[in-house]
Amino acid sequence: MSRTDITSPPHTEGAPAQGSPLSNGLKQRHLSMIALGGVIGAGLFVGSGAGIAAAGPSIVLAYAVSGLLVMFVMRMLGEMSAANPASGSFSVHADRAIGPWAGFTAGWMFWTLLVVGVAIEAIGAAHIVQGWLPGTPSWMWVLVFMAVFCGSNLAAVSNFGEFEFWFAALKIGAIGLFLILGTLAVLGVLPGNDSPGAAHLLHDGGFLPTGVNGLLIGLLASLAAYGGLETVTIAAAEAKDPVRGVAKAVRTTMWRIGIVYVGSMLMIVTLIPWNDKAVTESGPYAAVLDRLGVPGGGQIMNVVVLIALLSAMNANIYGSSRMAYSLVTRGQGPKALGKVTGGVPRRAVLASSAFGFFAVLLSYWYPTTVFAWLLNMVGGVVLVVWGFIAASQLVLRRRLEREAPDTLVVRMWAFPYLTWVTLAGVVGALVLMLLEDDTRVQLFSTGGLALALALVGYVQQRAAGRRAGR
């Protein structure tokens, strides 16, 4: 038996049109907004403050470099997903390119990241609402949010699409308004504000006020903010036209990253001092709005952050359920989760939501032990997944050129050179994690998870190979 026979999944999972029991209820407008909204998350609105505090104005360079790496990753993922749309996305590609152990490892690592993310986002959203309604317990809001988004994901996939469509529209509107106000302020035409010129960029300790080390810390912080882009390639498998949907989403990644991330960071460090305490205490966007004299700027950003958190919850429940379903259809998970009703893998939705809610309980019971361990465990998962994507693309691109060149409707630029550059970038980021005290524990915890899953996946692969050879 050939290697291809052994490592190919028993179920050829593709888009709904190719025989998957999943529905095709997502429209092009849903995919477009999911792609746009996936770029704008709570990590950008709040988490970027820590990066600015560490790197100063050079955070702009950090976001530009990490954004370039993300663009390469998305281009490679788009190439493979347009050629073979699948709800398991990169897990399916790793399965076919490297072997079932790789698909198993990448898939379950990403599932763990998403369900822990559900817990983090639920807790964050509950804290915001509790701040508005201080007499209410936070667990009540967690329960409400979990029930709403578990329920929406149990229904038709179009419900998920509609939620994300409107969430994304609100986030895009907020970031667009922020950039317009910021541009007017920089130009000195916003009433009540004088143009700061380059004062904050160059005169508050210079462009690199904390040196190269600060820039490297900012680079790691910026990488964490880009999570969420992969969801669009998972969702594309349930679109009416998955190939066109993936191609369009990937081709617009460059300007989305350039405007939303790099443009926002440039605007923030131009308008306010990078070492202003409000950058980390209130969040950089709220700090800028308050400095510009926008009435209720902090509360406006609280609303936007709440929307971003709820959007991420919704997307993570969706993405984790589809990843679990994909793994099960390939014989790499509990068979009970593979049942599809009404075009929706409802048992996978319930299992993913249940684990997310259990993680919330862990945050209350063991905030400094078990939950902290969970957070550390998923700290470097995105980098590991990106490594699998690049390695898979190196193999599958050549295979597609030989066997199905007509499916290469999206092509990675300057193949294979930029693919190798991406792999080097991922390895470099992992080395940076090893050098920094704050991220070293995350690297070791993530590495332990990856090794454990790889071992289980390899044992499963060997067992399947022996059964097939009988």
Side-chain angles (χ1 to χ4, degrees), residues 12 27 57 91 103 123 152-153 175 202 214 232 234 272 280-281 301 307 376 437 462:
T12 304
K27 302 174 182 177
S91 172
I123 294 166
S152 71
N153 276 278
I175 205 78
L202 304 175
V232 69
I234 294 174
I272 59 174
T280 51
E281 292 175 357
M301 286 313 303
I307 291 169
N376 285 328
D437 292 338
R462 290 291 299 270

Side-chain angles (χ1 to χ4, degrees), residues 16-30:
Q18 296 172 309
S20 169
L22 298 179
S23 71
N24 60 350
L26 293 178
K27 302 174 182 177
Q28 182 59 46
R29 68 181 179 90
H30 292 148

Side-chain angles (χ1 to χ4, degrees), residues 131-197:
W132 295 334
L133 302 168
T136 57
S138 61
W139 65 262
M140 181 184 75
W141 295 112
V142 168
L143 189 60
V144 168
F145 297 144
M146 292 296 297
V148 168
F149 294 113
C150 178
S152 71
N153 276 278
L154 286 172
V157 71
S158 58
N159 284 11
F160 160 75
E162 283 299 317
F163 266 114
E164 284 305 292
F165 178 86
W166 292 109
F167 279 148
L170 290 168
K171 289 189 291 184
I172 292 164
I175 205 78
L177 182 58
F178 174 84
L179 291 173
I180 291 170
L181 289 174
T183 302
L184 293 175
V186 169
L187 296 175
V189 297
L190 188 69
N193 291 272
D194 296 324
S195 174

Side-chain angles (χ1 to χ4, degrees), residues 347-365:
R347 292 182 181 177
V349 170
L350 288 171
S352 299
S353 300
F355 192 94
F357 188 70
F358 179 64
V360 172
L361 295 178
L362 290 177
S363 76
Y364 291 117
W365 296 336

Side-chain angles (χ1 to χ4, degrees), residues 232-469:
V232 69
T233 58
I234 294 174
E238 294 182 76
K240 296 182 184 299
D241 188 351
V243 174
R244 178 171 170 264
V246 168
K248 186 174 181 180
V250 169
R251 284 168 180 156
T252 56
T253 297
M254 183 177 294
W255 68 263
R256 295 200 309 268
I257 289 175
I259 293 175
V260 172
Y261 279 94
V262 182
S264 288
M265 291 303 106
L266 179 60
M267 197 68 67
I268 290 166
V269 295
T270 300
L271 289 170
I272 59 174
W274 65 272
N275 52 3
D276 189 325
K277 290 183 179 179
V279 169
T280 51
E281 292 175 357
S282 304
Y285 290 83
V288 168
L289 292 180
D290 288 337
R291 178 63 66 94
L292 297 181
V294 176
Q299 285 304 318
I300 291 171
M301 286 313 303
N302 269 340
V303 173
V304 174
V305 171
L306 177 63
I307 291 169
L309 288 167
L310 296 180
S311 172
M313 271 189 72
N314 190 36
N316 285 351
I317 291 174
Y318 171 83
S320 59
S321 66
R322 270 36 177 200
M323 183 60 73
Y325 166 78
S326 172
L327 288 160
V328 168
T329 62
R330 287 177 277 141
Q332 297 176 341
K335 291 182 180 180
L337 301 183
K339 183 176 176 59
V340 176
T341 307
V344 177
R346 288 177 179 161
R347 292 182 181 177
V349 170
L350 288 171
S352 299
S353 300
F355 192 94
F357 188 70
F358 179 64
V360 172
L361 295 178
L362 290 177
S363 76
Y364 291 117
W365 296 336
Y366 311 105
T368 60
T369 53
V370 179
F371 190 65
W373 174 74
L374 269 179
L375 293 179
N376 285 328
M377 194 171 63
V378 300
V381 165
V382 168
L383 287 171
V384 175
V385 167
W386 290 353
F388 274 117
I389 289 171
S392 300
Q393 194 263 345
L394 277 174
V395 175
L396 292 181
R397 170 65 174 267
R398 292 189 173 94
R399 189 181 300 173
L400 288 170
E401 286 176 335
R402 291 194 309 268
E403 300 173 2
D406 55 311
T407 62
L408 286 169
V409 296
V410 177
R411 289 175 179 263
M412 176 59 182
W413 307 296
F415 176 82
Y417 306 108
L418 286 184
T419 303
W420 283 111
V421 168
T422 304
L423 273 172
V426 169
V427 172
L430 291 171
V431 171
L432 285 181
M433 290 185 70
L434 181 63
L435 297 177
E436 295 296 327
D437 292 338
D438 292 341
T439 54
R440 190 178 298 121
V441 174
Q442 293 180 10
L443 179 63
F444 291 151
S445 299
T446 300
L449 174 65
L451 287 173
L453 287 173
L455 180 61
V456 173
Y458 181 72
V459 170
Q460 278 196 357
Q461 179 178 321
R462 290 291 299 270
R466 287 195 295 269
R467 288 195 298 271

